[in-house]
Amino acid sequence: MTMKYRLFGRTGLRVSELLLGTMTFDDPAEAGRIVDAYADAGGNVLDTASAYGRSEELIGSVVRRRDRFVLGTKYTLSRDAADPNASGNHRKNLTVSLERSLRRLRTDHVDLYWVHIWDRHTPVEETLRALDGAVRAGKVLCTGISDAPAWVVSRANTLADWRGWTPFTAGAPGRPGLAHRAGTGGGRRRPAGRGGAGRDPGAGGAGVDPPPVPVGAAAGRG
């Protein structure tokens, strides 16, 4: 089977049809073997999050050809249960989480930075402006939002268009359980994000919309 690639939302970024989720990474040797096997198969998207234990740290230690992967991570979930500002989508948590993720991943930027889950207590304008600042600083290339109702993604990208901010390149529908815990009341719906890009976290798909495009192998190990 030959790996196929798709365009990521309304960008020219090529992503493999299968992404590698790294939430359960715990052992360096095993993580290295998995990343190598994935790269050998043509995969080029690594997905992690600030709340995934040692995942970011292990990716940073086993990925040597950083430029050959599309590296994505997420923030929102708590980094420190004793700190009320160590979770949420506000500017402070975004700034601290991003800097911590970059250190752990041993890189100066991430290709995709996800808002892990909708935070109804933080104005979406604050989140968008903070993400736009990270993009303009070169620390983030594309942004996405996961587990958010369609109207949130649609409103956010409308505001971004009006104000000249970076829009969400990808959006993921909220799962009922997460939606209710977040107070959204939303279900599994396809978001009206920019370009209609969607990522179903339950299916593990990348946030892409157009049909596959033939490109050469995009992944590389070290």
Side-chain angles (χ1 to χ4, degrees):
M1 175 182 173
T2 302
M3 183 71 74
K4 295 181 180 179
Y5 301 86
R6 294 173 178 264
L7 294 177
F8 190 80
R10 286 189 175 179
T11 76
L13 185 66
R14 273 72 167 174
V15 293
S16 53
E17 285 192 309
L18 299 179
L19 66 80
L20 178 61
T22 65
M23 181 175 67
T24 59
F25 276 13
D26 186 60
D27 177 76
E30 182 181 25
R33 288 194 297 269
I34 293 173
V35 170
D36 284 352
Y38 175 67
D40 285 342
N44 74 338
V45 184
L46 300 177
D47 178 76
T48 184
S50 61
Y52 286 175
R54 298 182 62 204
S55 174
E56 290 181 326
E57 178 185 347
L58 291 179
I59 290 177
S61 68
V62 303
V63 173
R64 295 174 293 278
R65 298 289 300 279
R66 163 68 182 89
D67 59 318
R68 304 298 293 275
F69 287 96
V70 175
L71 182 57
T73 191
K74 315 176 194 72
Y75 90 103
T76 299
L77 304 183
S78 182
R79 295 172 285 99
D80 180 358
D83 181 0
N85 283 316
S87 64
N89 295 336
H90 50 84
R91 182 186 296 271
K92 180 176 176 62
N93 188 40
L94 186 155
T95 300
V96 175
S97 295
L98 177 57
E99 292 300 328
R100 178 192 184 208
S101 292
L102 293 176
R103 287 194 300 271
R104 296 174 75 181
L105 292 166
R106 303 183 188 182
T107 185
D108 61 359
H109 74 280
V110 290
D111 301 297
L112 177 59
Y113 201 46
W114 287 91
V115 174
H116 209 152
I117 189 170
W118 178 45
D119 168 15
R120 63 176 178 168
H121 301 292
T122 301
V124 70
E125 293 90 339
E126 179 180 350
T127 303
L128 284 171
R129 186 63 186 86
L131 286 170
D132 182 66
V135 171
R136 293 175 187 270
K139 297 179 179 181
V140 172
L141 301 188
C142 300
T143 64
I145 182 168
S146 178
D147 293 309
W151 68 265
V152 170
V153 185
S154 179
R155 179 172 181 270
N157 278 357
T158 298
L159 287 169
D161 283 341
W162 285 351
R163 301 183 181 182
W165 296 339
T166 304
F168 288 121
T169 305
R175 286 170 284 180
L178 288 173
H180 286 302
R181 285 199 294 275
T184 67
R188 184 184 289 267
R189 293 176 287 176
R190 185 177 181 82
R194 189 180 184 91
R199 184 182 74 93
D200 184 341
V208 293
D209 200 34
V213 292
V215 298
R221 298 176 285 155

